[in-house]
Amino acid sequence: LLQDVRETYSRQICQNLLDLPMVKETDIIYAYSATRSEVSLQILIEDALERHSRIGMPKVFGDTMDFYVIRQLLDLKKGAFGILVPGLGFDAAGGRIGYGKGYYDRYLQAFPGLIRIGCCFEEQLVEKIPKEAQDISMDYLMMPSGLLVCKGNEERA
């Protein structure tokens, strides 16, 4: 996607997320800082920080990833692999493809109660993502067109 299209779609995704009751009512939002051509959550992060919501941002240590609360955007530091992204591609069942290191899968496996929302452009949707035993599916996908409840995960919705 062209830069201006990605920015427009990212703004719409952020607004869609800010309108969700589950986002409005939570006391912490686990986000990420986009790199390359991924969905930017900058507007969501700035809004949450203004409302004094807690924002958890990922940091990688070797083979593990954890989230740390930031108070301002200046708290972000570039890590060994840059800032991680949520996925390169998704399917309607919540399957996702990342960069192959498994950081998010391991983290989500350790915290199964978290609501998992993949942020993507419609252009990132594919028919089927190959899934392995360690892969964790998303409960929802947020796109510019709105929220998709992932097939097979309706019980978590």
mmCIF file with all atom_site columns, all heavy atoms in Angstrom, residues 84-111:
data_model
loop_
_atom_site.group_PDB
_atom_site.id
_atom_site.type_symbol
_atom_site.label_atom_id
_atom_site.label_alt_id
_atom_site.label_comp_id
_atom_site.label_asym_id
_atom_site.label_entity_id
_atom_site.label_seq_id
_atom_site.pdbx_PDB_ins_code
_atom_site.Cartn_x
_atom_site.Cartn_y
_atom_site.Cartn_z
_atom_site.occupancy
_atom_site.B_iso_or_equiv
_atom_site.pdbx_formal_charge
_atom_site.auth_seq_id
_atom_site.auth_comp_id
_atom_site.auth_asym_id
_atom_site.auth_atom_id
_atom_site.pdbx_PDB_model_num
ATOM 1   N N   . LEU A 1 84  ? 8.691   -4.747  17.631 1.00 0.00 ? 84  LEU A N   1
ATOM 2   C CA  . LEU A 1 84  ? 7.979   -5.857  16.994 1.00 0.00 ? 84  LEU A CA  1
ATOM 3   C C   . LEU A 1 84  ? 6.643   -5.413  16.417 1.00 0.00 ? 84  LEU A C   1
ATOM 4   O O   . LEU A 1 84  ? 6.051   -4.441  16.866 1.00 0.00 ? 84  LEU A O   1
ATOM 5   C CB  . LEU A 1 84  ? 7.735   -6.970  18.017 1.00 0.00 ? 84  LEU A CB  1
ATOM 6   C CG  . LEU A 1 84  ? 8.963   -7.673  18.523 1.00 0.00 ? 84  LEU A CG  1
ATOM 7   C CD1 . LEU A 1 84  ? 8.594   -8.677  19.588 1.00 0.00 ? 84  LEU A CD1 1
ATOM 8   C CD2 . LEU A 1 84  ? 9.716   -8.328  17.388 1.00 0.00 ? 84  LEU A CD2 1
ATOM 9   N N   . VAL A 1 85  ? 6.144   -6.178  15.450 1.00 0.00 ? 85  VAL A N   1
ATOM 10  C CA  . VAL A 1 85  ? 4.859   -5.913  14.799 1.00 0.00 ? 85  VAL A CA  1
ATOM 11  C C   . VAL A 1 85  ? 3.937   -7.099  15.037 1.00 0.00 ? 85  VAL A C   1
ATOM 12  O O   . VAL A 1 85  ? 4.401   -8.192  15.349 1.00 0.00 ? 85  VAL A O   1
ATOM 13  C CB  . VAL A 1 85  ? 5.051   -5.663  13.292 1.00 0.00 ? 85  VAL A CB  1
ATOM 14  C CG1 . VAL A 1 85  ? 5.916   -4.458  13.055 1.00 0.00 ? 85  VAL A CG1 1
ATOM 15  C CG2 . VAL A 1 85  ? 5.623   -6.879  12.611 1.00 0.00 ? 85  VAL A CG2 1
ATOM 16  N N   . PRO A 1 86  ? 2.635   -6.910  14.898 1.00 0.00 ? 86  PRO A N   1
ATOM 17  C CA  . PRO A 1 86  ? 1.715   -7.984  15.232 1.00 0.00 ? 86  PRO A CA  1
ATOM 18  C C   . PRO A 1 86  ? 1.570   -9.064  14.178 1.00 0.00 ? 86  PRO A C   1
ATOM 19  O O   . PRO A 1 86  ? 1.227   -10.176 14.493 1.00 0.00 ? 86  PRO A O   1
ATOM 20  C CB  . PRO A 1 86  ? 0.391   -7.268  15.434 1.00 0.00 ? 86  PRO A CB  1
ATOM 21  C CG  . PRO A 1 86  ? 0.483   -6.115  14.514 1.00 0.00 ? 86  PRO A CG  1
ATOM 22  C CD  . PRO A 1 86  ? 1.924   -5.693  14.548 1.00 0.00 ? 86  PRO A CD  1
ATOM 23  N N   . GLY A 1 87  ? 1.796   -8.757  12.914 1.00 0.00 ? 87  GLY A N   1
ATOM 24  C CA  . GLY A 1 87  ? 1.666   -9.792  11.897 1.00 0.00 ? 87  GLY A CA  1
ATOM 25  C C   . GLY A 1 87  ? 1.780   -9.241  10.496 1.00 0.00 ? 87  GLY A C   1
ATOM 26  O O   . GLY A 1 87  ? 1.487   -8.082  10.244 1.00 0.00 ? 87  GLY A O   1
ATOM 27  N N   . LEU A 1 88  ? 2.206   -10.103 9.613  1.00 0.00 ? 88  LEU A N   1
ATOM 28  C CA  . LEU A 1 88  ? 2.317   -9.741  8.203  1.00 0.00 ? 88  LEU A CA  1
ATOM 29  C C   . LEU A 1 88  ? 1.083   -10.148 7.421  1.00 0.00 ? 88  LEU A C   1
ATOM 30  O O   . LEU A 1 88  ? 0.745   -9.540  6.419  1.00 0.00 ? 88  LEU A O   1
ATOM 31  C CB  . LEU A 1 88  ? 3.542   -10.423 7.587  1.00 0.00 ? 88  LEU A CB  1
ATOM 32  C CG  . LEU A 1 88  ? 4.870   -10.041 8.201  1.00 0.00 ? 88  LEU A CG  1
ATOM 33  C CD1 . LEU A 1 88  ? 5.982   -10.914 7.657  1.00 0.00 ? 88  LEU A CD1 1
ATOM 34  C CD2 . LEU A 1 88  ? 5.151   -8.582  7.932  1.00 0.00 ? 88  LEU A CD2 1
ATOM 35  N N   . GLY A 1 89  ? 0.407   -11.207 7.880  1.00 0.00 ? 89  GLY A N   1
ATOM 36  C CA  . GLY A 1 89  ? -0.789  -11.699 7.221  1.00 0.00 ? 89  GLY A CA  1
ATOM 37  C C   . GLY A 1 89  ? -1.687  -12.392 8.219  1.00 0.00 ? 89  GLY A C   1
ATOM 38  O O   . GLY A 1 89  ? -1.214  -12.903 9.238  1.00 0.00 ? 89  GLY A O   1
ATOM 39  N N   . PHE A 1 90  ? -2.981  -12.399 7.932  1.00 0.00 ? 90  PHE A N   1
ATOM 40  C CA  . PHE A 1 90  ? -3.981  -13.005 8.817  1.00 0.00 ? 90  PHE A CA  1
ATOM 41  C C   . PHE A 1 90  ? -5.000  -13.745 7.974  1.00 0.00 ? 90  PHE A C   1
ATOM 42  O O   . PHE A 1 90  ? -5.174  -13.460 6.798  1.00 0.00 ? 90  PHE A O   1
ATOM 43  C CB  . PHE A 1 90  ? -4.721  -11.925 9.617  1.00 0.00 ? 90  PHE A CB  1
ATOM 44  C CG  . PHE A 1 90  ? -3.851  -11.158 10.564 1.00 0.00 ? 90  PHE A CG  1
ATOM 45  C CD1 . PHE A 1 90  ? -3.154  -10.044 10.135 1.00 0.00 ? 90  PHE A CD1 1
ATOM 46  C CD2 . PHE A 1 90  ? -3.743  -11.539 11.889 1.00 0.00 ? 90  PHE A CD2 1
ATOM 47  C CE1 . PHE A 1 90  ? -2.356  -9.318  11.005 1.00 0.00 ? 90  PHE A CE1 1
ATOM 48  C CE2 . PHE A 1 90  ? -2.945  -10.820 12.767 1.00 0.00 ? 90  PHE A CE2 1
ATOM 49  C CZ  . PHE A 1 90  ? -2.257  -9.716  12.320 1.00 0.00 ? 90  PHE A CZ  1
ATOM 50  N N   . ASP A 1 91  ? -5.726  -14.691 8.614  1.00 0.00 ? 91  ASP A N   1
ATOM 51  C CA  . ASP A 1 91  ? -6.885  -15.285 7.960  1.00 0.00 ? 91  ASP A CA  1
ATOM 52  C C   . ASP A 1 91  ? -8.099  -15.121 8.862  1.00 0.00 ? 91  ASP A C   1
ATOM 53  O O   . ASP A 1 91  ? -7.972  -14.672 10.014 1.00 0.00 ? 91  ASP A O   1
ATOM 54  C CB  . ASP A 1 91  ? -6.636  -16.748 7.567  1.00 0.00 ? 91  ASP A CB  1
ATOM 55  C CG  . ASP A 1 91  ? -6.435  -17.701 8.735  1.00 0.00 ? 91  ASP A CG  1
ATOM 56  O OD1 . ASP A 1 91  ? -6.872  -17.394 9.866  1.00 0.00 ? 91  ASP A OD1 1
ATOM 57  O OD2 . ASP A 1 91  ? -5.836  -18.768 8.517  1.00 0.00 ? 91  ASP A OD2 1
ATOM 58  N N   . ALA A 1 92  ? -9.278  -15.463 8.352  1.00 0.00 ? 92  ALA A N   1
ATOM 59  C CA  . ALA A 1 92  ? -10.529 -15.234 9.084  1.00 0.00 ? 92  ALA A CA  1
ATOM 60  C C   . ALA A 1 92  ? -10.647 -16.093 10.335 1.00 0.00 ? 92  ALA A C   1
ATOM 61  O O   . ALA A 1 92  ? -11.481 -15.810 11.201 1.00 0.00 ? 92  ALA A O   1
ATOM 62  C CB  . ALA A 1 92  ? -11.728 -15.472 8.162  1.00 0.00 ? 92  ALA A CB  1
ATOM 63  N N   . ALA A 1 93  ? -9.831  -17.131 10.461 1.00 0.00 ? 93  ALA A N   1
ATOM 64  C CA  . ALA A 1 93  ? -9.834  -17.962 11.658 1.00 0.00 ? 93  ALA A CA  1
ATOM 65  C C   . ALA A 1 93  ? -8.910  -17.396 12.738 1.00 0.00 ? 93  ALA A C   1
ATOM 66  O O   . ALA A 1 93  ? -8.760  -17.977 13.796 1.00 0.00 ? 93  ALA A O   1
ATOM 67  C CB  . ALA A 1 93  ? -9.421  -19.390 11.322 1.00 0.00 ? 93  ALA A CB  1
ATOM 68  N N   . GLY A 1 94  ? -8.283  -16.252 12.457 1.00 0.00 ? 94  GLY A N   1
ATOM 69  C CA  . GLY A 1 94  ? -7.392  -15.628 13.427 1.00 0.00 ? 94  GLY A CA  1
ATOM 70  C C   . GLY A 1 94  ? -5.951  -16.068 13.307 1.00 0.00 ? 94  GLY A C   1
ATOM 71  O O   . GLY A 1 94  ? -5.107  -15.668 14.105 1.00 0.00 ? 94  GLY A O   1
ATOM 72  N N   . GLY A 1 95  ? -5.641  -16.894 12.315 1.00 0.00 ? 95  GLY A N   1
ATOM 73  C CA  . GLY A 1 95  ? -4.265  -17.288 12.092 1.00 0.00 ? 95  GLY A CA  1
ATOM 74  C C   . GLY A 1 95  ? -3.443  -16.082 11.667 1.00 0.00 ? 95  GLY A C   1
ATOM 75  O O   . GLY A 1 95  ? -3.959  -15.173 11.021 1.00 0.00 ? 95  GLY A O   1
ATOM 76  N N   . ARG A 1 96  ? -2.181  -16.088 12.074 1.00 0.00 ? 96  ARG A N   1
ATOM 77  C CA  . ARG A 1 96  ? -1.322  -14.963 11.700 1.00 0.00 ? 96  ARG A CA  1
ATOM 78  C C   . ARG A 1 96  ? 0.062   -15.452 11.345 1.00 0.00 ? 96  ARG A C   1
ATOM 79  O O   . ARG A 1 96  ? 0.513   -16.487 11.829 1.00 0.00 ? 96  ARG A O   1
ATOM 80  C CB  . ARG A 1 96  ? -1.239  -13.916 12.825 1.00 0.00 ? 96  ARG A CB  1
ATOM 81  C CG  . ARG A 1 96  ? -0.463  -14.346 14.046 1.00 0.00 ? 96  ARG A CG  1
ATOM 82  C CD  . ARG A 1 96  ? -0.390  -13.265 15.114 1.00 0.00 ? 96  ARG A CD  1
ATOM 83  N NE  . ARG A 1 96  ? 0.772   -12.425 15.004 1.00 0.00 ? 96  ARG A NE  1
ATOM 84  C CZ  . ARG A 1 96  ? 2.004   -12.784 15.346 1.00 0.00 ? 96  ARG A CZ  1
ATOM 85  N NH1 . ARG A 1 96  ? 2.259   -13.990 15.784 1.00 0.00 ? 96  ARG A NH1 1
ATOM 86  N NH2 . ARG A 1 96  ? 2.997   -11.935 15.241 1.00 0.00 ? 96  ARG A NH2 1
ATOM 87  N N   . ILE A 1 97  ? 0.690   -14.681 10.487 1.00 0.00 ? 97  ILE A N   1
ATOM 88  C CA  . ILE A 1 97  ? 2.087   -14.918 10.135 1.00 0.00 ? 97  ILE A CA  1
ATOM 89  C C   . ILE A 1 97  ? 2.854   -13.698 10.583 1.00 0.00 ? 97  ILE A C   1
ATOM 90  O O   . ILE A 1 97  ? 2.487   -12.566 10.254 1.00 0.00 ? 97  ILE A O   1
ATOM 91  C CB  . ILE A 1 97  ? 2.262   -15.126 8.623  1.00 0.00 ? 97  ILE A CB  1
ATOM 92  C CG1 . ILE A 1 97  ? 1.675   -16.464 8.234  1.00 0.00 ? 97  ILE A CG1 1
ATOM 93  C CG2 . ILE A 1 97  ? 3.713   -15.000 8.221  1.00 0.00 ? 97  ILE A CG2 1
ATOM 94  C CD1 . ILE A 1 97  ? 2.275   -17.136 7.051  1.00 0.00 ? 97  ILE A CD1 1
ATOM 95  N N   . GLY A 1 98  ? 3.893   -13.923 11.357 1.00 0.00 ? 98  GLY A N   1
ATOM 96  C CA  . GLY A 1 98  ? 4.776   -12.842 11.785 1.00 0.00 ? 98  GLY A CA  1
ATOM 97  C C   . GLY A 1 98  ? 6.100   -12.969 11.051 1.00 0.00 ? 98  GLY A C   1
ATOM 98  O O   . GLY A 1 98  ? 6.159   -13.417 9.913  1.00 0.00 ? 98  GLY A O   1
ATOM 99  N N   . TYR A 1 99  ? 7.158   -12.631 11.744 1.00 0.00 ? 99  TYR A N   1
ATOM 100 C CA  . TYR A 1 99  ? 8.482   -12.727 11.139 1.00 0.00 ? 99  TYR A CA  1
ATOM 101 C C   . TYR A 1 99  ? 9.183   -14.031 11.485 1.00 0.00 ? 99  TYR A C   1
ATOM 102 O O   . TYR A 1 99  ? 10.367  -14.207 11.214 1.00 0.00 ? 99  TYR A O   1
ATOM 103 C CB  . TYR A 1 99  ? 9.348   -11.533 11.568 1.00 0.00 ? 99  TYR A CB  1
ATOM 104 C CG  . TYR A 1 99  ? 8.934   -10.256 10.875 1.00 0.00 ? 99  TYR A CG  1
ATOM 105 C CD1 . TYR A 1 99  ? 8.248   -9.272  11.565 1.00 0.00 ? 99  TYR A CD1 1
ATOM 106 C CD2 . TYR A 1 99  ? 9.215   -10.044 9.540  1.00 0.00 ? 99  TYR A CD2 1
ATOM 107 C CE1 . TYR A 1 99  ? 7.859   -8.104  10.936 1.00 0.00 ? 99  TYR A CE1 1
ATOM 108 C CE2 . TYR A 1 99  ? 8.834   -8.888  8.896  1.00 0.00 ? 99  TYR A CE2 1
ATOM 109 C CZ  . TYR A 1 99  ? 8.152   -7.915  9.603  1.00 0.00 ? 99  TYR A CZ  1
ATOM 110 O OH  . TYR A 1 99  ? 7.766   -6.769  8.966  1.00 0.00 ? 99  TYR A OH  1
ATOM 111 N N   . GLY A 1 100 ? 8.473   -14.964 12.135 1.00 0.00 ? 100 GLY A N   1
ATOM 112 C CA  . GLY A 1 100 ? 9.011   -16.296 12.342 1.00 0.00 ? 100 GLY A CA  1
ATOM 113 C C   . GLY A 1 100 ? 9.777   -16.521 13.627 1.00 0.00 ? 100 GLY A C   1
ATOM 114 O O   . GLY A 1 100 ? 10.313  -17.604 13.828 1.00 0.00 ? 100 GLY A O   1
ATOM 115 N N   . LYS A 1 101 ? 9.846   -15.546 14.511 1.00 0.00 ? 101 LYS A N   1
ATOM 116 C CA  . LYS A 1 101 ? 10.583  -15.728 15.763 1.00 0.00 ? 101 LYS A CA  1
ATOM 117 C C   . LYS A 1 101 ? 9.697   -16.265 16.892 1.00 0.00 ? 101 LYS A C   1
ATOM 118 O O   . LYS A 1 101 ? 10.198  -16.750 17.889 1.00 0.00 ? 101 LYS A O   1
ATOM 119 C CB  . LYS A 1 101 ? 11.220  -14.410 16.214 1.00 0.00 ? 101 LYS A CB  1
ATOM 120 C CG  . LYS A 1 101 ? 12.247  -13.874 15.237 1.00 0.00 ? 101 LYS A CG  1
ATOM 121 C CD  . LYS A 1 101 ? 13.496  -14.723 15.234 1.00 0.00 ? 101 LYS A CD  1
ATOM 122 C CE  . LYS A 1 101 ? 14.555  -14.079 14.365 1.00 0.00 ? 101 LYS A CE  1
ATOM 123 N NZ  . LYS A 1 101 ? 15.753  -14.871 14.305 1.00 0.00 ? 101 LYS A NZ  1
ATOM 124 N N   . GLY A 1 102 ? 8.372   -16.138 16.773 1.00 0.00 ? 102 GLY A N   1
ATOM 125 C CA  . GLY A 1 102 ? 7.443   -16.701 17.747 1.00 0.00 ? 102 GLY A CA  1
ATOM 126 C C   . GLY A 1 102 ? 7.280   -15.928 19.035 1.00 0.00 ? 102 GLY A C   1
ATOM 127 O O   . GLY A 1 102 ? 6.710   -16.448 19.996 1.00 0.00 ? 102 GLY A O   1
ATOM 128 N N   . TYR A 1 103 ? 7.754   -14.684 19.098 1.00 0.00 ? 103 TYR A N   1
ATOM 129 C CA  . TYR A 1 103 ? 7.658   -13.909 20.345 1.00 0.00 ? 103 TYR A CA  1
ATOM 130 C C   . TYR A 1 103 ? 6.212   -13.750 20.822 1.00 0.00 ? 103 TYR A C   1
ATOM 131 O O   . TYR A 1 103 ? 5.905   -13.987 21.991 1.00 0.00 ? 103 TYR A O   1
ATOM 132 C CB  . TYR A 1 103 ? 8.273   -12.518 20.180 1.00 0.00 ? 103 TYR A CB  1
ATOM 133 C CG  . TYR A 1 103 ? 9.744   -12.529 19.900 1.00 0.00 ? 103 TYR A CG  1
ATOM 134 C CD1 . TYR A 1 103 ? 10.246  -12.085 18.679 1.00 0.00 ? 103 TYR A CD1 1
ATOM 135 C CD2 . TYR A 1 103 ? 10.657  -12.978 20.854 1.00 0.00 ? 103 TYR A CD2 1
ATOM 136 C CE1 . TYR A 1 103 ? 11.606  -12.086 18.417 1.00 0.00 ? 103 TYR A CE1 1
ATOM 137 C CE2 . TYR A 1 103 ? 12.011  -12.981 20.600 1.00 0.00 ? 103 TYR A CE2 1
ATOM 138 C CZ  . TYR A 1 103 ? 12.475  -12.541 19.380 1.00 0.00 ? 103 TYR A CZ  1
ATOM 139 O OH  . TYR A 1 103 ? 13.814  -12.548 19.128 1.00 0.00 ? 103 TYR A OH  1
ATOM 140 N N   . TYR A 1 104 ? 5.344   -13.328 19.920 1.00 0.00 ? 104 TYR A N   1
ATOM 141 C CA  . TYR A 1 104 ? 3.951   -13.111 20.317 1.00 0.00 ? 104 TYR A CA  1
ATOM 142 C C   . TYR A 1 104 ? 3.276   -14.421 20.676 1.00 0.00 ? 104 TYR A C   1
ATOM 143 O O   . TYR A 1 104 ? 2.501   -14.483 21.637 1.00 0.00 ? 104 TYR A O   1
ATOM 144 C CB  . TYR A 1 104 ? 3.180   -12.380 19.214 1.00 0.00 ? 104 TYR A CB  1
ATOM 145 C CG  . TYR A 1 104 ? 3.358   -10.888 19.288 1.00 0.00 ? 104 TYR A CG  1
ATOM 146 C CD1 . TYR A 1 104 ? 4.400   -10.261 18.618 1.00 0.00 ? 104 TYR A CD1 1
ATOM 147 C CD2 . TYR A 1 104 ? 2.499   -10.108 20.045 1.00 0.00 ? 104 TYR A CD2 1
ATOM 148 C CE1 . TYR A 1 104 ? 4.580   -8.892  18.697 1.00 0.00 ? 104 TYR A CE1 1
ATOM 149 C CE2 . TYR A 1 104 ? 2.666   -8.735  20.127 1.00 0.00 ? 104 TYR A CE2 1
ATOM 150 C CZ  . TYR A 1 104 ? 3.703   -8.129  19.456 1.00 0.00 ? 104 TYR A CZ  1
ATOM 151 O OH  . TYR A 1 104 ? 3.888   -6.774  19.543 1.00 0.00 ? 104 TYR A OH  1
ATOM 152 N N   . ASP A 1 105 ? 3.527   -15.486 19.924 1.00 0.00 ? 105 ASP A N   1
ATOM 153 C CA  . ASP A 1 105 ? 2.923   -16.781 20.250 1.00 0.00 ? 105 ASP A CA  1
ATOM 154 C C   . ASP A 1 105 ? 3.315   -17.244 21.646 1.00 0.00 ? 105 ASP A C   1
ATOM 155 O O   . ASP A 1 105 ? 2.472   -17.686 22.424 1.00 0.00 ? 105 ASP A O   1
ATOM 156 C CB  . ASP A 1 105 ? 3.318   -17.836 19.209 1.00 0.00 ? 105 ASP A CB  1
ATOM 157 C CG  . ASP A 1 105 ? 2.702   -17.556 17.852 1.00 0.00 ? 105 ASP A CG  1
ATOM 158 O OD1 . ASP A 1 105 ? 1.506   -17.233 17.797 1.00 0.00 ? 105 ASP A OD1 1
ATOM 159 O OD2 . ASP A 1 105 ? 3.427   -17.653 16.849 1.00 0.00 ? 105 ASP A OD2 1
ATOM 160 N N   . ARG A 1 106 ? 4.579   -17.131 21.984 1.00 0.00 ? 106 ARG A N   1
ATOM 161 C CA  . ARG A 1 106 ? 5.025   -17.546 23.325 1.00 0.00 ? 106 ARG A CA  1
ATOM 162 C C   . ARG A 1 106 ? 4.405   -16.672 24.402 1.00 0.00 ? 106 ARG A C   1
ATOM 163 O O   . ARG A 1 106 ? 3.977   -17.162 25.448 1.00 0.00 ? 106 ARG A O   1
ATOM 164 C CB  . ARG A 1 106 ? 6.552   -17.533 23.412 1.00 0.00 ? 106 ARG A CB  1
ATOM 165 C CG  . ARG A 1 106 ? 7.207   -18.681 22.662 1.00 0.00 ? 106 ARG A CG  1
ATOM 166 C CD  . ARG A 1 106 ? 8.698   -18.809 22.960 1.00 0.00 ? 106 ARG A CD  1
ATOM 167 N NE  . ARG A 1 106 ? 9.484   -17.668 22.520 1.00 0.00 ? 106 ARG A NE  1
ATOM 168 C CZ  . ARG A 1 106 ? 9.944   -17.492 21.289 1.00 0.00 ? 106 ARG A CZ  1
ATOM 169 N NH1 . ARG A 1 106 ? 9.695   -18.395 20.357 1.00 0.00 ? 106 ARG A NH1 1
ATOM 170 N NH2 . ARG A 1 106 ? 10.671  -16.440 20.977 1.00 0.00 ? 106 ARG A NH2 1
ATOM 171 N N   . TYR A 1 107 ? 4.346   -15.379 24.164 1.00 0.00 ? 107 TYR A N   1
ATOM 172 C CA  . TYR A 1 107 ? 3.769   -14.476 25.161 1.00 0.00 ? 107 TYR A CA  1
ATOM 173 C C   . TYR A 1 107 ? 2.285   -14.779 25.353 1.00 0.00 ? 107 TYR A C   1
ATOM 174 O O   . TYR A 1 107 ? 1.801   -14.892 26.481 1.00 0.00 ? 107 TYR A O   1
ATOM 175 C CB  . TYR A 1 107 ? 3.967   -13.015 24.743 1.00 0.00 ? 107 TYR A CB  1
ATOM 176 C CG  . TYR A 1 107 ? 3.560   -12.055 25.830 1.00 0.00 ? 107 TYR A CG  1
ATOM 177 C CD1 . TYR A 1 107 ? 4.462   -11.689 26.811 1.00 0.00 ? 107 TYR A CD1 1
ATOM 178 C CD2 . TYR A 1 107 ? 2.269   -11.553 25.898 1.00 0.00 ? 107 TYR A CD2 1
ATOM 179 C CE1 . TYR A 1 107 ? 4.102   -10.831 27.835 1.00 0.00 ? 107 TYR A CE1 1
ATOM 180 C CE2 . TYR A 1 107 ? 1.891   -10.692 26.917 1.00 0.00 ? 107 TYR A CE2 1
ATOM 181 C CZ  . TYR A 1 107 ? 2.814   -10.336 27.880 1.00 0.00 ? 107 TYR A CZ  1
ATOM 182 O OH  . TYR A 1 107 ? 2.441   -9.494  28.890 1.00 0.00 ? 107 TYR A OH  1
ATOM 183 N N   . LEU A 1 108 ? 1.553   -14.910 24.251 1.00 0.00 ? 108 LEU A N   1
ATOM 184 C CA  . LEU A 1 108 ? 0.113   -15.166 24.342 1.00 0.00 ? 108 LEU A CA  1
ATOM 185 C C   . LEU A 1 108 ? -0.185  -16.532 24.946 1.00 0.00 ? 108 LEU A C   1
ATOM 186 O O   . LEU A 1 108 ? -1.191  -16.702 25.634 1.00 0.00 ? 108 LEU A O   1
ATOM 187 C CB  . LEU A 1 108 ? -0.529  -15.033 22.961 1.00 0.00 ? 108 LEU A CB  1
ATOM 188 C CG  . LEU A 1 108 ? -0.531  -13.612 22.404 1.00 0.00 ? 108 LEU A CG  1
ATOM 189 C CD1 . LEU A 1 108 ? -0.959  -13.613 20.946 1.00 0.00 ? 108 LEU A CD1 1
ATOM 190 C CD2 . LEU A 1 108 ? -1.409  -12.687 23.234 1.00 0.00 ? 108 LEU A CD2 1
ATOM 191 N N   . GLN A 1 109 ? 0.683   -17.501 24.723 1.00 0.00 ? 109 GLN A N   1
ATOM 192 C CA  . GLN A 1 109 ? 0.506   -18.810 25.346 1.00 0.00 ? 109 GLN A CA  1
ATOM 193 C C   . GLN A 1 109 ? 0.649   -18.706 26.861 1.00 0.00 ? 109 GLN A C   1
ATOM 194 O O   . GLN A 1 109 ? -0.054  -19.365 27.613 1.00 0.00 ? 109 GLN A O   1
ATOM 195 C CB  . GLN A 1 109 ? 1.511   -19.803 24.777 1.00 0.00 ? 109 GLN A CB  1
ATOM 196 C CG  . GLN A 1 109 ? 1.268   -21.226 25.219 1.00 0.00 ? 109 GLN A CG  1
ATOM 197 C CD  . GLN A 1 109 ? 2.173   -22.179 24.490 1.00 0.00 ? 109 GLN A CD  1
ATOM 198 O OE1 . GLN A 1 109 ? 3.237   -21.826 23.983 1.00 0.00 ? 109 GLN A OE1 1
ATOM 199 N NE2 . GLN A 1 109 ? 1.766   -23.438 24.436 1.00 0.00 ? 109 GLN A NE2 1
ATOM 200 N N   . ALA A 1 110 ? 1.543   -17.852 27.322 1.00 0.00 ? 110 ALA A N   1
ATOM 201 C CA  . ALA A 1 110 ? 1.764   -17.676 28.760 1.00 0.00 ? 110 ALA A CA  1
ATOM 202 C C   . ALA A 1 110 ? 0.629   -16.895 29.427 1.00 0.00 ? 110 ALA A C   1
ATOM 203 O O   . ALA A 1 110 ? 0.445   -16.996 30.639 1.00 0.00 ? 110 ALA A O   1
ATOM 204 C CB  . ALA A 1 110 ? 3.098   -16.969 29.002 1.00 0.00 ? 110 ALA A CB  1
ATOM 205 N N   . PHE A 1 111 ? -0.124  -16.113 28.638 1.00 0.00 ? 111 PHE A N   1
ATOM 206 C CA  . PHE A 1 111 ? -1.211  -15.296 29.183 1.00 0.00 ? 111 PHE A CA  1
ATOM 207 C C   . PHE A 1 111 ? -2.484  -15.529 28.364 1.00 0.00 ? 111 PHE A C   1
ATOM 208 O O   . PHE A 1 111 ? -2.934  -14.652 27.623 1.00 0.00 ? 111 PHE A O   1
ATOM 209 C CB  . PHE A 1 111 ? -0.826  -13.813 29.171 1.00 0.00 ? 111 PHE A CB  1
ATOM 210 C CG  . PHE A 1 111 ? 0.365   -13.510 30.029 1.00 0.00 ? 111 PHE A CG  1
ATOM 211 C CD1 . PHE A 1 111 ? 1.638   -13.461 29.483 1.00 0.00 ? 111 PHE A CD1 1
ATOM 212 C CD2 . PHE A 1 111 ? 0.212   -13.308 31.395 1.00 0.00 ? 111 PHE A CD2 1
ATOM 213 C CE1 . PHE A 1 111 ? 2.739   -13.199 30.268 1.00 0.00 ? 111 PHE A CE1 1
ATOM 214 C CE2 . PHE A 1 111 ? 1.308   -13.051 32.193 1.00 0.00 ? 111 PHE A CE2 1
ATOM 215 C CZ  . PHE A 1 111 ? 2.581   -13.001 31.637 1.00 0.00 ? 111 PHE A CZ  1
#
